Amino acid sequence: MLNILLVILISYAIGNFSTSFILGKLIKKTDIRTKGSGNAGATNALRVFGKKIAIITFLFDAFKGIIAVIIGQMLLGYSGSLIAGVFAVIGHDFPIVLKFKGGKGIATTIGAATFINPVPALIAIIIGILIIIKTKYVSLGSVLAISLVPFIALLIVRPFDLKYILFLVVLAAIAVFRHKSNIKRLLNGEESKIGQKSK
């Protein structure tokens, strides 16, 4: 029980490291949460700060998921890696150090899910990239890709791993919840495409 709590706390703390917020403050002297969509993640970093900071943000945010999973594995084995991945994303999305106003967890989800089992994650990432290229909607590609991972895993991962499937379902649910405003704008035809200002 103590190890479970330790994994949760460490992973959540790792998730609290907000790359876009820190880079924005250090390099641009700007709080990213006051610009663009107000989201402290890679997509808004691209919109507000440009490609270089966005790429660095994505990589570091993905790395958070990987580091958390490794620590979870060390402390609690396979189950610990799954718990760690979820709470790293929660820490990124709802960081206590930023008054719970964080990002949407896509990069951290990608890092954690890919490290735990790369094949389903990479298939979903490719699908997501194709959707983004076709539609220019990052939110659409992100949500659909992450939502598809559990189904992809059900089809190709053998033997069946209930813990892993539940892990993916939880991550997908968090992603959909965090993108609820984007989904609403998509349905209303009001979502911003790549290169457009946030609506």
Side-chain angles (χ1 to χ4, degrees), residues 153-176:
L154 278 171
L155 290 173
I156 68 173
V157 174
R158 295 293 182 273
F160 174 74
D161 185 343
L162 180 59
K163 287 182 180 179
Y164 174 60
I165 298 299
L166 290 176
F167 161 75
L168 295 175
V169 168
V170 170
L171 290 182
I174 294 172
V176 170

Side-chain angles (χ1 to χ4, degrees), residues 37-107:
S37 65
N39 177 56
T43 302
N44 200 37
L46 175 63
R47 183 181 293 117
V48 176
F49 299 137
K51 291 181 182 178
K52 288 183 180 179
I53 291 179
I55 291 169
I56 295 170
T57 295
F58 180 88
L59 292 175
F60 270 82
D61 286 350
F63 190 61
K64 292 190 303 188
I66 294 171
I67 290 296
V69 166
I70 291 172
I71 293 173
Q73 176 75 34
M74 291 170 59
L75 291 175
L76 203 62
Y78 179 60
S79 294
S81 68
L82 301 179
I83 294 169
V86 169
F87 278 90
V89 172
I90 292 173
H92 174 85
D93 290 359
F94 309 101
I96 192 170
V97 295
L98 295 181
K99 298 180 180 178
F100 304 104
K101 190 177 181 182
K104 295 185 177 177
I106 298 302

Side-chain angles (χ1 to χ4, degrees), residues 32 62 68 77 84 92 96 108 110 125 135 166 173 178 181 183 196:
I32 191 171
H92 174 85
I96 192 170
T108 306
I110 288 172
I125 288 168
T135 67
L166 290 176
R178 290 294 288 148
S181 60
I183 294 169
Q196 292 180 332

